Amino acid sequence: MKVVLSGNEAVARGFYEAGGRFASAYPGTPSTEVLEAIAKFDEIIAQWAPNEKVAVEVAAGASLGGARALAVMKHVGLNVAADPLFSLSYMGVNGGFVIMTADDPGMHSSQNEQDNRWYAKAAKLPLLEPSDSQEARDFTIQAFEISESFDTPVLLRTTTRVSHSKSVVLTGERIDVPLKPYRKELTKNVLLPSTGRLRHPVVENRLKKLRAFSTVSGLNWVDWGDRKIGIITNGIAYQYAREVMPGASYLKLGMTYPLPEKLIKEFAEGVETLYVIEELDPFIEEQVRMLGIKVTGKEKVPGIGELNPDIVSAALLDRMLAEDDFQKSELKLPERSPVLCAGCSHRGVFWALKKLRVTVMGDIGCYTLGALPPLNAMDSCLNMGASVGMAEGMVKVNPEKFQKKLVGIIGDSTFIHSGITSLIDMVYNRGITTVIILDNRITAMTGHQENPASGITLQHEQTKPLDLTKLSEAIGIRRVRKIDPYNLKETTAVIREEMQSPEPSVIIADAPCVLYEKLKLGPVYYVDQEKCVACDLCYKIGCPALVPGPNGRKPVIDPLSCIGCDQCAQVCNLDAILPEDLTFDNLARRGRSG
Amino acid sequence: MAITNVIFTGVGGQGVLLASDVLAEIALRHGLDVKKSEVHGMSQRGGSVISQVRFGEKIYAPLVSLNQADFIVAFEKLEAVRYLDYLKPNGVMIANDYEIIPATVEFGDVEYPKEILPVFMKKTNRIILENITKLAEGLGNPKVLNVIMLGILSNYLEIPEPVWRGAIKTRVPDKFLELNLKAFQAGREIRETAPGIVPQP
């Protein structure tokens, strides 16, 4: 059947057709939809893991147990999972095992644009790179065959444009792959110095065989066109090159590690000028150069950011992007960056932190938007879970400046992902810092995936919710306080108090994601244009429902966006922001005089 | 058949991605190769959204090059201007005459552009600029904005009307089908604004 699928949906489809039985992932753009699509197949056990390392380990267990297994993550997630990845290369597989990494050139939704192909080389694993949805399906199926034939985990790498582009896919039927029998094998599955030494030569030998296979695999092929220009290319870059130079000769690489050396040499000999067109790092180019082949690559093709047909065209046709390519109007346009949603509970916490002039070690999630104007209430954002450890370290070296004036702030999902161990470190090493957990019980930024704190599984089944209060107490935090982040007075007071405390503390800001729950917290609010003096105070909470109205800077409230959270009303000194329905008890709940 | 390039743009939550999904489905049903590209994630939080659809006999790149879009279908005015560079000289601009003020305007120095039609006219005379949101509300639900936009676009493409209606049927729950087909028809009745004449609100 022919269907239009995204690259991510096509990987899911391929996994299903390949007889896959177990899949695990931690959500991360641009990889998230793979597991969501897999969850629709009843034949597959699919589950969210608390982080990527766990996803790989649970899937490794499924593979050892005999099933075809898949672990999925975004590029930085593979850093978290790198520990099992490298050792799994030595252990090999029982049921086929594929690890998918979705890289994000252009950093549409990431903090860096690392090129994860290096992991294949470093961990000595075969690497497949689809260039559209059809290949995403086909390569996933083939990856399992390679995994089982060569006794190796396989890396499947997509990029944002492959994962999130849709194209036509010819699908097939699911094949039945029975569980492989389990055998206890000490020298293979128990990695100790003595057994690891036995495994390393096996890995090197496997790599040799894979290199020979790369030429005959069918994943890498030559399409002879004009012999003046030969282009070696992979992934989405192939599509761009083919678009702008349809008549050239192509060596299209689907398996980019180990490379098909014989095929590359033959191709290079058959063309006059040889190009490597690849996104991000010169991963293929360096290896081609190692073969002693002269090639044009990164001196023409940018290694920073996403490629596109215009950039590839400029590189191949040896011209700068002409001025007339950009007919930008002289109008300076306002940016439309993402913002915390109208009525988001995180807003109140950041407003309080800003008011208290606190140094804030931030983390990764929707709440990272608290770093942007007008809240500007974040000093750092490094990686998943870093806020807790960084807060501890910063206070340790300069307590005079930072103790009582610094917090770490982290979402529930990120805390579970990798903040817990840092909190243990803080207690163990007698650190004194306040950690605020923004607990909306969902992984919101990536599109509302369930997590252990939700108490709901990927398939929306009830499970035991992780109790963050008890967990913090068990770690040794004696001061754990829950706050209603919509109550700005209470939020400010509790943060101030806890920062003063002579021991580490945890504040749990307890409120669901309003976007996920589609919540209306109260009646729509309005700005009394008579009372308003355009002091701009309310704008400083940065709610998108507050917009300039007909009276200059005096705001009006967009009734379609407002969910009645009352935060802007609490900020207004003149009581000029009021609910349309005055009988609603929001005012009492927020502890205002009304 | 030559390749057709369509850019859909708007603000997160307006239904831009669904409209582009429906067009991709229509192209497939019409027996064409089709590719579509967009970026998920941050856009959900009220950010600028762009989705690109390309169809024809054989499609390689999922991205439209500068000056190559045959159509820009803009659900919001500012977003129409933002991607104007992609429009082919004298390509068709289908823009919802509707403003969603971005948060940056409240505390930045950059203003929301006031006169948009003259900006469009630097690039093309083939313009539809009407308040489609108002039309959608008039039909009973602002959410049908995306189907009206598809209705307008359908006038320009040589794909039979039943294919469009069929694809809409598969994407819309039964209870909203009649409303959506009405919205599609309303879109089909909209014609280009005469060049140089500002449409009446």
Side-chain angles (χ1 to χ4, degrees):
Chain A
M1 199 170 111
K2 265 190 177 180
V3 283
V4 176
L5 295 180
S6 72
N8 282 347
E9 290 165 337
V11 169
R13 179 75 207 179
F15 182 57
Y16 167 77
E17 290 182 28
R21 286 169 181 265
F22 184 91
S24 184
Y26 181 78
T29 314
S31 72
T32 312
E33 300 83 0
V34 177
L35 197 70
E36 290 177 326
I38 288 175
K40 291 176 187 149
F41 298 114
D42 291 339
E43 296 89 338
I44 303 171
I45 302 168
Q47 51 192 52
W48 292 125
N51 68 33
E52 295 84 354
K53 177 175 178 285
V54 175
V56 168
E57 290 160 349
V58 180
S63 159
L64 187 60
R68 287 195 162 183
L70 176 73
V72 184
M73 61 211 67
K74 70 181 291 175
H75 61 334
V76 285
L78 195 54
N79 302 337
V80 179
D83 195 1
L85 179 81
F86 278 72
S87 298
L88 271 168
S89 176
Y90 279 35
M91 187 184 285
V93 304
N94 187 22
F97 189 12
V98 174
I99 296 162
M100 173 179 159
T101 162
D103 292 11
D104 190 17
M107 293 177 276
H108 296 282
S109 213
S110 305
Q111 71 270 41
N112 78 18
E113 56 183 346
Q114 68 186 50
D115 188 330
N116 272 7
R117 292 178 297 171
W118 300 109
Y119 271 115
K121 200 175 177 192
K124 303 172 192 289
L125 295 173
L127 171 67
L128 306 191
E129 291 191 77
S131 72
D132 61 16
S133 299
Q134 183 69 59
E135 287 188 351
R137 173 212 169 256
D138 299 349
F139 287 14
T140 303
I141 296 170
Q142 224 166 329
F144 280 96
E145 288 158 12
I146 295 170
S147 174
E148 287 173 2
S149 314
F150 292 87
D151 190 7
T152 178
V154 175
L155 269 182
L156 179 73
R157 178 196 183 240
T158 64
T159 54
T160 301
R161 285 295 164 197
V162 174
S163 277
H164 284 177
S165 288
K166 291 192 176 182
S167 56
V168 182
V169 178
L170 185 62
T171 61
E173 296 298 318
R174 177 175 166 93
I175 52 164
D176 183 42
V177 182
L179 282 178
K180 294 230 159 50
Y182 171 72
R183 274 196 308 141
K184 187 166 171 171
E185 277 183 287
L186 180 70
T187 52
K188 184 171 188 283
N189 298 329
V190 183
L191 293 176
L192 298 163
S194 56
T195 50
R197 279 182 214 118
L198 297 175
R199 292 302 297 171
H200 190 180
V202 174
V203 170
E204 296 298 335
N205 193 35
R206 181 179 75 200
L207 212 49
K208 263 188 213 155
K209 287 184 189 157
L210 281 163
R211 189 162 284 126
F213 170 76
S214 192
T215 291
V216 298
S217 65
L219 289 158
N220 304 314
W221 44 260
V222 172
D223 185 7
W224 293 112
D226 181 352
R227 301 274 184 141
K228 280 200 184 101
I229 292 183
I231 300 170
I232 301 175
T233 182
N234 69 311
I236 196 70
Y238 163 73
Q239 307 290 355
Y240 299 151
R242 197 87 208 220
E243 180 79 30
V244 300
M245 200 161 275
S249 290
Y250 282 89
L251 170 52
K252 155 76 165 71
L253 299 175
M255 182 169 178
T256 46
Y257 195 80
L259 284 177
E261 292 179 355
K262 195 163 153 258
L263 202 59
I264 291 171
K265 283 178 189 158
E266 281 169 16
F267 183 71
E269 278 162 20
V271 296
E272 282 177 34
T273 312
L274 186 65
Y275 288 88
V276 173
I277 308 282
E278 61 189 320
E279 221 165 31
L280 296 181
D281 295 345
F283 179 77
I284 297 169
E285 183 186 335
E286 283 186 12
Q287 296 181 71
V288 172
R289 284 185 198 281
M290 288 286 283
L291 297 173
I293 296 167
K294 206 173 148 242
V295 63
T296 304
K298 286 295 158 191
E299 62 267 46
K300 291 274 174 65
V301 184
I304 298 172
E306 253 197 314
L307 298 180
N308 63 37
D310 294 313
I311 293 169
V312 172
S313 155
L316 282 171
L317 304 172
D318 200 18
R319 62 180 180 85
M320 299 300 287
L321 282 174
E323 281 295 315
D324 63 357
D325 283 347
F326 297 98
Q327 302 179 340
K328 270 262 179 277
S329 59
E330 294 94 61
L331 272 179
K332 218 176 146 200
L333 299 179
E335 291 294 312
R336 196 188 295 278
S337 6
V339 287
L340 292 173
C341 302
C344 175
S345 66
H346 302 333
R347 183 169 283 112
V349 177
F350 285 110
W351 180 84
L353 291 169
K354 190 183 185 187
K355 196 174 164 194
L356 295 168
R357 297 171 191 275
V358 177
T359 301
V360 179
M361 296 294 106
D363 225 303
I364 293 182
C366 291
Y367 50 94
T368 318
L369 295 168
L372 304 178
L375 291 161
N376 297 312
M378 197 175 281
D379 292 70
S380 82
C381 168
L382 180 66
N383 63 284
M384 291 287 288
S387 57
V388 183
M390 287 184 73
E392 181 196 343
M394 205 141 164
V395 173
K396 276 259 166 101
V397 296
N398 193 349
E400 290 76 28
K401 183 168 168 61
F402 295 122
Q403 198 176 329
K404 303 179 182 179
K405 269 289 172 198
L406 182 145
V407 300
I409 194 161
I410 187 165
D412 52 327
S413 187
T414 310
F415 180 67
I416 295 162
H417 178 281
S418 49
I420 297 170
T421 40
S422 308
L423 194 63
I424 293 172
D425 187 77
M426 189 192 294
V427 174
Y428 171 57
N429 287 308
R430 301 190 294 179
I432 304 174
T433 307
T434 299
V435 173
I436 301 174
I437 302 174
L438 300 170
D439 182 16
N440 60 12
R441 281 169 234 113
I442 203 82
T443 311
M445 178 94 263
T446 44
H448 301 117
Q449 286 72 35
E450 302 74 19
N451 71 44
S454 320
I456 299 166
T457 68
L458 169 62
Q459 288 80 7
H460 301 280
E461 295 153 342
Q462 296 290 322
T463 182
K464 201 169 171 56
L466 177 66
D467 186 328
L468 295 176
T469 303
K470 279 189 183 158
L471 175 70
S472 305
E473 286 168 355
I475 284 171
I477 304 281
R478 290 189 298 185
R479 301 178 68 106
V480 183
R481 292 179 71 176
K482 271 199 181 177
I483 53 168
D484 170 7
Y486 288 108
N487 185 333
L488 299 186
K489 213 186 221 173
E490 180 202 343
T491 297
T492 314
V494 171
I495 294 173
R496 189 190 281 125
E497 259 173 60
E498 290 308 317
M499 284 193 307
Q500 297 300 318
S501 84
E503 59 180 304
S505 59
V506 167
I507 300 171
I508 298 175
D510 181 21
C513 171
V514 292
L515 184 65
Y516 179 57
E517 309 244 341
K518 298 197 167 41
L519 289 177
K520 285 276 174 203
L521 298 172
V524 167
Y525 280 56
Y526 71 98
V527 180
D528 185 329
Q529 300 288 314
E530 303 275 298
K531 282 191 191 169
C532 177
V533 295
C535 72
D536 280 7
L537 258 185
C538 57
Y539 284 131
K540 291 187 178 143
I541 64 168
C543 180
L546 272 166
V547 290
N551 302 321
R553 286 205 59 83
K554 285 188 185 180
V556 292
I557 292 176
D558 171 15
L560 291 175
S561 319
C562 176
I563 61 162
C565 78
D566 193 61
Q567 292 183 91
C568 58
Q570 292 174 55
V571 167
C572 180
N573 286 331
L574 298 167
D575 281 338
I577 305 181
L578 299 158
E580 284 186 349
D581 176 6
L582 280 166
T583 58
F584 190 76
D585 67 352
N586 226 350
L587 303 180
R589 188 156 80 89
R590 305 284 174 239
R592 291 175 72 239
S593 60
Chain B
M1 182 185 169
I3 289 169
T4 304
N5 298 317
V6 184
I7 286 181
F8 291 88
T9 178
V11 177
Q14 278 192 302
V16 172
L17 301 188
L18 184 70
S20 64
D21 271 340
V22 173
L23 181 61
E25 177 75 30
I26 286 163
L28 176 71
R29 284 169 175 234
H30 196 52
L32 299 170
D33 191 20
V34 58
K35 283 191 178 171
K36 165 184 139 88
S37 188
E38 67 212 17
V39 170
H40 308 174
M42 302 282 268
S43 58
Q44 266 183 306
R45 308 292 175 270
S48 164
V49 177
I50 175 170
S51 181
Q52 322 191 15
V53 184
R54 310 187 67 218
F55 50 90
E57 207 173 311
K58 172 74 192 162
I59 305 295
Y60 289 107
L63 296 177
V64 177
S65 296
L66 295 165
N67 294 315
Q68 291 302 316
D70 301 280
F71 304 92
I72 289 183
V73 183
F75 288 42
E76 200 271 352
K77 259 196 312 193
L78 171 60
E79 300 311 312
V81 185
R82 200 185 302 283
Y83 297 103
L84 189 60
D85 290 349
Y86 286 90
L87 192 64
K88 251 181 200 165
N90 230 19
V92 179
M93 170 61 84
I94 301 168
N96 182 12
D97 193 358
Y98 181 76
E99 294 177 4
I100 299 175
I101 311 281
T104 46
V105 171
E106 291 155 28
F107 45 85
D109 355 290
V110 186
E111 286 197 354
Y112 192 101
K114 289 200 172 61
E115 286 289 319
I116 294 235
L117 199 59
V119 182
F120 291 164
M121 287 176 65
K122 283 183 186 168
K123 192 101 188 232
T124 183
N125 285 325
R126 306 178 65 193
I127 299 164
I128 288 169
L129 181 63
E130 287 195 32
N131 190 335
I132 311 294
T133 298
K134 205 167 132 188
L135 180 60
E137 282 165 359
L139 289 172
N141 190 338
K143 292 221 149 131
V144 297
L145 165 66
N146 52 10
V147 178
I148 304 178
M149 297 304 263
L150 284 172
I152 302 172
L153 180 67
S154 72
N155 282 330
Y156 292 91
L157 297 174
E158 288 169 15
I159 297 174
E161 203 185 321
V163 180
W164 292 80
R165 290 178 180 271
I168 291 168
K169 263 180 211 161
T170 62
R171 287 287 177 158
V172 170
D174 282 347
K175 60 174 176 172
F176 295 119
L177 183 61
E178 199 190 322
L179 173 68
N180 276 277
L181 291 177
K182 223 166 91 185
F184 179 74
Q185 189 53 40
R188 282 183 75 84
E189 281 157 20
I190 293 173
R191 294 286 173 270
E192 274 173 35
T193 313
I197 296 173
V198 182
Q200 296 304 306

